[in-house]
Amino acid sequence: MDTASDIPFFSVIIVNYNGGDYLRRAVAALAAQDFTRFEAFIVDNGSTDGSLATLPELDARFTVIEAGANLGFAAGNNLAARRARGNWIVALNPDAFARPDWLRALHRATTRHPFVTMLGSMQITADRPPGAAPTFDGTGDEYSIYGVAYRAGYGQAVRTVTEDFPVFGPCAAAAAYRREAFEAVGGFDERFFCYHEDVDLALKMRRLGGRAVQVHDAVVHHVGSGITGTASDFAVYHGTRNRLWTWFSSMPLGLMIGLLPVTLAANLALLLWSAVRSGRFRPTARGLWHGLRGAPAMIRTRRAYPKGSRALWPVLVKRPSRLTGRLNRVQPLP
């Protein structure tokens, strides 16, 4: 029988698809953590680039799961989560390289915030040109009444933050979820495949009364779309489609209906904006079309959660000016 010390505190999941050398770097950084009470799953989604062969020698904490096909980020994480034994499910991208004290910082945060269900990491852009000033890749996810989510702080100069602070939800490039809360909402929605599934998950957890904290000293260096390509057709399409699916699947009914006009207006504005951006219009239009076509199915499969519009409204971004992704308004934790 396992004793308490035998049970890992964290179950870290890396979903890989043709991650190349990024995967090796991510796994090596994870293996070098100074907090050792973790297990790790490397889910390979049918990679053809030989990235698994580049891995360093792994100890008994690591398990490689070869899915045999590209299941996507959502299903890949769920596959490993079903085998996880840890108190917390930790998602880590294969292009995210954790500092040696990353897991220890997350562990300290679970003591400081015993009732929090989601923990986010401070993401710093990796592989910057020599001499370039460091910038944030994200300081937590925010979600607006327009159905638009964004990574706060993206592209802005790194600044010193000395305290944890609340966010809508963590970016799943490096995020921890209390396992019972993760399981209560069914994990990531596998229909999303990838992109926006972390926002959808946070929204569902919020409706169960969950809270999210950005851990100021849990730091990873993240390439950002290092696998799928920044603003690739793939990323734009899935991000656009899944933005709508999040709204129809997980927003409280009262907010979904009441704010539907501004949500549709925001998506129309984004479509017009894509028309003046090279290569953006076609995948944006296709994502909107498929998002709307899939909306009835998302509505039919909505699940009931005890917390409604009253609980969610205070944590939504209301002002359009804040959709630029500026740094979070760091505020004391309640």
Side-chain angles (χ1 to χ4, degrees), residues 114-134:
F115 303 111
V116 164
T117 51
M118 297 172 273
L119 300 172
S121 304
M122 303 296 280
Q123 296 171 202
I124 296 175
T125 304
D127 296 345
R128 297 278 292 169

Side-chain angles (χ1 to χ4, degrees), residues 320-333:
S321 61
R322 288 196 61 202
L323 301 184
T324 58
R326 70 185 187 181
L327 289 170
N328 316 66
R329 292 177 298 173
V330 178
Q331 52 188 314
L333 287 160

Side-chain angles (χ1 to χ4, degrees), residues 15-179:
V15 177
N16 175 61
Y17 178 67
N18 292 337
D21 190 56
Y22 290 146
L23 177 65
R24 181 194 61 78
R25 291 171 60 187
V27 171
L30 180 59
Q33 292 295 299
D34 60 17
F35 181 87
T36 59
R37 277 189 59 199
F38 72 89
E39 63 180 356
F41 299 92
I42 303 166
V43 180
D44 188 72
N45 274 346
S47 296
T48 58
D49 68 340
S51 48
L52 281 184
T54 71
L55 292 177
E57 184 175 351
L58 302 175
D59 59 48
R61 295 172 299 176
F62 290 81
T63 300
V64 175
I65 302 173
E66 296 193 49
N70 190 359
L71 305 181
F73 179 86
N77 272 285
N78 289 348
L79 176 65
R82 289 192 287 270
R83 298 175 57 173
R85 297 181 298 136
N87 301 323
W88 290 78
I89 303 293
V90 183
L92 180 67
N93 274 13
D95 58 356
F97 319 124
R99 288 187 180 174
D101 62 347
W102 172 61
L103 284 180
R104 186 170 298 280
L106 291 177
H107 182 257
R108 288 195 299 261
T110 65
T111 302
R112 291 194 298 268
H113 315 296
F115 303 111
V116 164
T117 51
M118 297 172 273
L119 300 172
S121 304
M122 303 296 280
Q123 296 171 202
I124 296 175
T125 304
D127 296 345
R128 297 278 292 169
T135 59
F136 281 121
D137 179 68
T139 57
D141 284 351
E142 301 289 0
Y143 194 53
S144 73
I145 63 172
Y146 312 97
V148 177
Y150 63 93
R151 270 183 288 164
Y154 177 78
Q156 299 187 27
V158 170
R159 71 179 188 187
T160 299
V161 180
T162 58
E163 294 183 353
D164 302 340
F165 54 92
V167 292
F168 176 83
C171 172
Y177 304 95
R178 196 178 294 275
R179 190 172 73 172

